[in-house]
Amino acid sequence: MRVTAKVNGVTRLADDVWPGESLLFVLRERMGLPGSKNACEQGECGSCTVYLDGVPVCACLVAAGQADGGEIMTVEGLAAADGELHPLQQAFIEAGAVQCGFCTPGLLVAAHDLLARQPDPADADIREALAGNLCRCTGYEQILAAVRTAADLMRPETGR
Amino acid sequence: MSRATQQPSQSVSGQPEGLIGTSARRPDGRLKVTGEFAYGSDLWMDDMIWGVTLRSPHPYAKIKSVSIGAALATGGVYAVLTAQDVPGDNAYGLEHADQPVLASGVVRYAGEPVALVAADHPEVARRAAGKIVVEYEPLDPVTDPVAALDPAAPRLHPGGNLVRHLKIRKGDPEPAAEVVVTGCYQVGMQDQAFLGPEAGLAVPDGNGGVDLYVSTQWLHVDQKQVCAALGLRPEQVRLTLAGVGGAFGGREDLSMHVHACLLALHTGKPVKMVYSREESFFGHVHRHPALISYEHGAGRDGKLVYVKAVIHLDGGAYASSTSAVVGNAGTMGAGPYVVPSVRIDVYGVYTNNPPCGAMRGFGSVQAAFGYEAQMDKLAAALGLDPVQFRCLNAMEMGSSGPTGQVIDSPAPVAELLRRVERMPLPAAGSGGSGGSAGSGGDLRQLPGGVGNTTHGEGVVRGVGYAVGYKNVGFSEGYDDYSTARVRLENVAGEPVVSVHTAAAEVGQGLVTIEQQICRTELGVGQVVVVPKDTGVGSAGSTSASRQTYVTGGAVKHACELVRERLFTLVRLRLELPGAELVLADNLVWLRTGDDGAGAGPAGLIGDFLGDEVIEETVQWRHRKTWPVDPQTGQGFAHVQYAFAAHRAVVDVDLELGLVKVVALDCAQDVGKALNPQAVVGQIQGGSAQGLGLAVMEEIQVRDGMIKNPSFTDYLIPTILDVPPMRIDVLEYQDPHAPYGVRGVGEPPTISSGPAIVAALRAATGLELNRVPVRPHDITGT
């Protein structure tokens, strides 16, 4: 089957999609967007988190056909067109929140969603919002620090 | 730009930020936050096909026949391969070549690879693999590591079921003490659970050779094993490191390496293999489960008199690194304490359970659960405070360990304990205890969380301490070296250093350290880390907390040789043959006279260098170690020891057995923190893995079968499970190590778990002699 979707603002098309393929597989293997990660492919780790029509989802749990005609944003769509990193991306680098980095794309999208809903989250809010994203390297402390920093940067009075 | 004329400092021109000792940023950080960093599973080629593995459903069985006809006839399938298609040795392994590439005649564990399929779509390949007919004759599996040593037990390998028996004998063979405590402990099987699955891409070169891009921990040991299995020469099998999504020991052994190369060479097409999470549980070795019994004796004065231990480590079906894990569990089996008499027996055993091998902490983790529980028991028996008792017996520089090896660099065991003890405790009720029920209590801080299982009633708090230690680098006489190639040249008018090693970056940040060392030694801001591959000599394994020490040492030494050659050039140009020179801020600095008179910048590095290219390749070794005596276990076996201590605070819901770790603070000596932020990240991440083993992580194996091969059923700590962690980093330099560094990665995984279990014992009054501690261990139901 054919799947068409607007991904990171660009309309993309994949042909010969087998109906059993997930949105994650189509993004990674057919649309050339491997940024969303395949750590568990059963909705437990959050590393494939993307926005589908404005809602964060595990792309591994969405059948590709369900995303047909949808609007998707992946980690590849976070930075500005000129390459300037989103404050969350910058904060993740600076706080040491990135080690192996396999969880990073999903965490960035999940944290992006959190800060859109809650610009000044308490630590408990951050923990709750990111509870669906596993990280095996950091013990999460530097991830918390990164989200706090990004929230500061993104508030109008202090940052961008 | 005007230049200051003082002595060089990193602020002179502002350029070379990121020297050693600073929290320099990762060179791959931008790629990783934009999704552009290419992990093994991201690799892609136009005409590539997909490989899958058919694995044994039985823990122990004879293979009567394998029939591949129906699979091969499936549309879209390019190849179906079995053991008979392995052209070289159908046996590989890190220490003993005892594991078949594809099973032949017998399978020894559930999940053992039997056949391979390549097809144009992964699902086509999986379905075709389902059509392979394997006729098995199941046998009774050997699943008990103690029973496996019974002479009547089935022999799983030609040499029997014992991989290694290590004996440590020190001091009085028949010691007696005024106070004696005993205990039996059990450690469950832990998984590394790295997030990036095993993955790689094999590309045939058209001349019988192959290029393999793979996520791994040690390119050269892979290359050696792949060559043997394929019957090819090293120059025909070139490996390049693909992005690695975590490792923690689980990528030391081969997984899909040979399989993808076999399929690529058979089909003439690039072959990609990516394990699913379920397959990953069968595709790599795990942490050895352990059965441990200890007897500790002490005098009324609180001094340890003796330690006796018997430890059985279940190696599963194949040896992997079991011998070395046995070595660690034994040589460090008494803990970081001074013990006059030691008698330890460690057995590494073959069974039909999943193969076990390297995981962060490597033998020290298992032993520490036992000896730290014993230390608390003994402190209680003596009426001493647990920290006080440990400090009374703590190793220090000059102490002799159970192997007779004298600790010849700082060993601040007592100070680490005292430091975590002095850290502020979380406020009562911060985790829900102290009757914070009702208003103001945040469910998210309580055991059970938003499951709303308690509002504070039935919740008690406990505090526990533990300290542990671990060898750094490869031990027992292993020729443990690394190779580094460093090149200095002008590129587009600017001096650029490139550093080339085969040391696997697995997330820990070695690439950053390599840059920092080059910047520091050569004063050049721009440092390029060349992709890791077998085009340069071996760097040894990214394991045993060794890369900053050993590859760091190699890079430093290569830089020193490059620098000497540059200085020769400069002295010639300046016609100052005796000039004392320093490099910093892209400048050559002149140091004349002890008082610094006449000191100042002599010119730009780039100007002196001109068209010259200075390149040096070195092999660098840490000081030699020796095998231990086979009868007594005595010897200088380890190059360096690293120490960490933890204090854990837990809240426990006694009625439901639910646990909330409220705080997990750590003090660790790292010798010299080359990158303080990365050091803290290692300690926090390592502590979290210890937390996992203490309270949640276990591969459940029944009759040789893994019952929970998924992240739904194998639980690793989430951000809700890991508490705030205060980290105190000590820097007592090791005079034997480059920059005084001490390995960082593993010690936090050793002491964090025992501290949590100690806190749980303090809270509950229960023995809790098995990890992970499960709810029913607490409720007794």
Side-chain angles (χ1 to χ4, degrees):
Chain A
M1 67 183 187
R2 168 176 286 190
V3 173
T4 311
K6 200 171 193 180
V7 187
N8 302 328
V10 178
T11 301
R12 292 177 186 262
L13 178 153
D15 274 323
D16 303 323
V17 175
W18 170 63
E21 288 176 18
S22 65
L23 170 60
L24 180 65
F25 186 89
V26 168
L27 286 169
R28 290 175 51 79
E29 304 294 341
R30 299 194 182 275
M31 292 182 170
L33 293 167
S36 309
K37 289 291 169 265
N38 55 318
C40 79
E41 296 183 84
Q42 54 187 184
E44 293 289 350
C45 74
S47 62
C48 65
T49 306
V50 301
Y51 282 110
L52 172 58
D53 295 329
V55 179
V57 298
C58 286
C60 70
L61 295 184
V62 176
Q66 284 177 275
D68 189 41
E71 212 166 298
I72 294 156
M73 193 179 85
T74 71
V75 69
E76 287 100 335
L78 283 180
D82 65 0
E84 190 189 349
L85 294 180
H86 186 277
L88 264 167
Q89 293 172 307
Q90 197 61 44
F92 264 62
I93 294 175
E94 284 170 15
V98 179
Q99 286 189 30
C100 92
F102 212 79
C103 66
T104 305
L107 273 163
L108 285 168
V109 174
H112 187 270
D113 174 63
L114 165 70
L115 295 183
R117 288 183 284 114
Q118 215 171 343
D120 190 14
D123 279 3
D125 302 323
I126 300 174
R127 288 183 189 273
E128 194 172 357
L130 303 184
N133 293 78
L134 297 176
C135 168
R136 190 57 158 167
C137 296
T138 65
Y140 302 103
E141 287 281 86
Q142 292 175 339
I143 291 169
L144 277 160
V147 176
R148 283 182 213 121
T149 303
D152 284 345
L153 286 171
M154 288 165 70
R155 271 195 297 274
E157 65 272 28
T158 52
R160 287 172 270 188
Chain B
M1 187 195 289
S2 67
R3 295 194 189 98
T5 53
Q6 311 86 346
Q7 286 297 297
S9 78
Q10 61 186 99
S11 61
V12 175
S13 70
Q15 176 148 14
E17 286 175 355
L19 305 181
I20 62 162
T22 70
S23 294
R25 304 290 172 238
R26 304 181 63 94
D28 55 11
R30 186 185 168 91
L31 292 174
K32 286 181 172 176
V33 299
T34 54
E36 292 168 64
F37 185 79
Y39 298 89
S41 53
D42 299 337
L43 303 176
W44 199 87
M45 283 182 86
D46 257 343
D47 56 345
M48 75 180 194
I49 54 176
W50 295 78
V52 305
T53 319
L54 179 72
R55 293 173 182 273
S56 165
H58 302 290
Y60 192 30
K62 285 183 182 161
I63 297 177
K64 309 292 281 182
S65 66
V66 182
S67 153
I68 64 170
L72 204 49
T74 306
V77 167
Y78 283 77
V80 181
L81 305 181
T82 63
Q84 67 192 35
D85 299 303
V86 179
D89 303 334
N90 189 12
Y92 71 92
L94 286 173
E95 294 169 4
H96 310 273
D98 62 357
Q99 184 160 5
V101 172
L102 291 169
S104 171
V106 62
V107 289
R108 296 185 180 86
Y109 74 98
E112 181 160 348
V114 176
L116 306 167
V117 179
D120 56 8
H121 190 285
E123 186 61 20
V124 172
R126 277 190 287 271
R127 289 182 182 195
K131 295 181 191 168
I132 298 172
V133 181
V134 185
E135 196 191 338
Y136 294 100
E137 181 190 322
L139 302 168
D140 281 340
V142 177
T143 58
D144 180 328
V146 179
L149 293 179
D150 189 316
R155 288 163 75 88
L156 302 178
H157 289 272
N161 297 342
L162 179 65
V163 182
R164 183 181 183 189
H165 172 201
L166 173 64
K167 292 181 263 188
I168 307 280
R169 305 284 185 266
K170 186 189 180 189
D172 185 351
E174 305 283 344
E178 291 162 315
V179 181
V180 174
V181 297
T182 60
C184 291
Y185 306 92
Q186 197 179 340
V187 178
M189 187 186 289
Q190 188 179 21
D191 189 56
Q192 297 83 355
F194 43 73
L195 287 194
E198 291 87 343
L201 177 70
V203 185
D205 68 7
N207 294 308
V210 63
D211 288 277
L212 176 64
Y213 302 83
V214 65
S215 307
T216 184
Q217 287 178 234
W218 186 359
L219 289 164
H220 285 80
V221 82
D222 292 352
Q223 183 189 38
K224 190 175 154 197
Q225 296 173 90
V226 174
C227 283
L230 297 178
L232 296 176
R233 299 183 305 279
E235 61 272 21
Q236 293 176 288
V237 179
R238 298 157 299 266
L239 272 71
T240 302
L241 187 69
V244 183
F248 318 116
R251 298 187 207 265
E252 263 200 343
D253 298 74
L254 298 184
S255 58
M256 44 57 66
H257 306 53
V258 181
H259 298 162
C261 292
L262 280 172
L263 290 169
L265 290 168
H266 263 80
T267 61
K269 293 174 86 66
V271 173
K272 173 170 168 171
M273 293 185 81
V274 182
Y275 288 179
S276 68
R277 180 52 52 184
E278 180 177 358
E279 185 169 20
S280 178
F281 276 94
F282 299 100
H284 64 256
V285 299
H286 312 290
R287 188 190 299 290
H288 290 76
L291 296 168
I292 303 170
S293 65
Y294 270 104
E295 180 181 317
H296 278 58
R300 288 271 168 221
D301 60 354
K303 289 282 196 182
L304 285 168
V305 174
Y306 71 89
V307 172
K308 292 182 188 175
V310 178
I311 301 175
H312 284 85
L313 295 167
D314 184 351
Y318 296 102
S320 179
S321 49
T322 293
S323 301
V325 174
V326 165
N328 281 8
T331 58
M332 287 166 286
Y337 304 108
V338 178
V339 192
S341 297
V342 180
R343 180 190 176 92
I344 296 176
D345 290 273
V346 188
Y347 301 89
V349 182
Y350 284 124
T351 64
N352 293 116
N353 288 321
C356 288
M359 183 176 172
R360 195 177 199 166
F362 201 85
S364 287
V365 164
Q366 292 92 332
F369 268 107
Y371 65 67
E372 285 300 84
Q374 289 286 106
M375 291 300 281
D376 283 341
K377 255 191 193 179
L378 204 41
L382 288 160
L384 291 171
D385 167 81
V387 172
Q388 184 194 1
F389 174 57
R390 283 176 171 83
C391 290
L392 206 56
N393 291 284
M395 269 182 179
E396 55 190 15
M397 187 150 75
S399 299
S400 159
T403 59
Q405 182 173 350
V406 174
I407 311 289
D408 59 1
S409 73
V413 176
E415 182 180 355
L416 294 169
L417 284 161
R418 291 295 183 198
R419 278 176 178 258
V420 288
E421 188 183 38
R422 281 200 301 268
M423 288 184 191
L425 278 162
S430 64
S433 74
S436 66
S439 64
D442 186 338
L443 283 178
R444 294 174 295 191
Q445 307 290 335
L446 289 163
V450 292
N452 197 18
T453 50
T454 178
H455 290 185
E457 67 279 7
V459 174
V460 294
R461 177 161 289 187
V463 178
Y465 292 88
V467 61
Y469 79 136
K470 167 82 181 45
N471 59 326
V472 173
F474 281 25
S475 297
E476 299 188 58
Y478 192 87
D479 181 22
D480 192 19
Y481 70 93
S482 179
T483 313
R485 179 176 299 153
V486 171
R487 181 183 171 101
L488 172 64
E489 65 196 315
N490 277 318
V491 176
E494 293 287 331
V496 175
V497 176
S498 38
V499 54
H500 191 184
T501 74
E505 166 63 42
V506 299
Q508 81 281 36
L510 183 73
V511 286
T512 324
I513 297 294
E514 290 179 340
Q515 287 186 318
Q516 290 179 262
I517 292 173
C518 291
R519 289 192 199 105
T520 303
E521 298 301 329
L522 294 172
V524 169
Q526 213 178 319
V527 179
V528 176
V529 179
V530 176
K532 312 288 194 171
D533 59 27
T534 50
V536 64
S538 175
S541 181
T542 293
S543 61
S545 308
R546 66 179 282 286
Q547 284 295 19
T548 293
Y549 188 136
V550 188
T551 292
V555 171
K556 179 172 186 277
H557 186 51
C559 285
E560 288 162 354
L561 296 182
V562 168
R563 190 173 60 202
E564 267 321 301
R565 283 177 57 188
L566 177 66
F567 283 171
T568 303
L569 215 79
V570 173
R571 291 184 186 114
L572 216 62
R573 297 273 163 76
L574 295 177
E575 298 181 350
L576 291 172
E580 215 183 301
L581 303 169
V582 180
L583 301 176
D585 311 321
N586 286 338
L587 291 167
V588 180
W589 296 74
L590 196 56
R591 266 193 179 140
T592 42
D594 289 344
D595 57 356
L604 287 163
I605 290 173
D607 290 348
F608 284 111
L609 196 58
D611 295 333
E612 292 279 337
V613 175
I614 305 179
E615 183 178 290
E616 290 286 346
T617 304
V618 303
Q619 259 187 16
W620 190 87
R621 289 169 164 75
H622 61 61
R623 60 190 172 136
K624 200 168 151 37
T625 61
W626 280 268
V628 294
D629 181 281
Q631 295 310 317
T632 64
Q634 300 296 295
F636 188 97
H638 302 306
V639 64
Q640 185 185 60
Y641 295 99
F643 305 86
H646 278 85
R647 183 189 64 196
V649 182
V650 301
D651 281 347
V652 188
D653 182 335
L654 295 174
E655 291 154 3
L656 294 173
L658 299 175
V659 172
K660 170 85 181 170
V661 181
V662 176
L664 186 58
D665 299 321
C666 178
Q668 181 172 337
D669 174 29
V670 304
K672 162 83 180 162
L674 295 194
N675 187 315
Q677 184 184 66
V679 162
V680 169
Q682 283 296 303
I683 297 173
Q684 291 171 335
S687 299
Q689 290 183 0
L691 181 155
L693 179 57
V695 294
M696 58 205 301
E697 293 185 32
E698 183 176 9
I699 296 182
Q700 294 171 37
V701 181
R702 303 274 182 280
D703 303 323
M705 307 294 288
I706 295 180
K707 296 297 184 188
N708 56 341
S710 74
F711 281 169
T712 308
D713 297 314
Y714 183 90
L715 302 180
I716 68 174
T718 71
I719 197 169
L720 290 173
D721 300 310
V722 181
M725 293 179 277
R726 196 180 277 106
I727 310 298
D728 195 354
V729 175
L730 278 66
E731 296 184 86
Y732 289 119
Q733 300 195 8
D734 178 349
H736 308 287
Y739 303 115
V741 297
R742 197 176 288 287
V744 174
E746 291 170 286
T749 308
I750 298 165
S751 45
S752 69
I756 290 168
V757 180
L760 289 171
R761 290 189 194 106
T764 62
L766 298 167
E767 284 228 9
L768 303 177
N769 53 11
R770 181 193 188 282
V771 287
V773 176
R774 301 155 298 186
H776 63 263
D777 296 326
I778 292 170
T779 57
T781 51

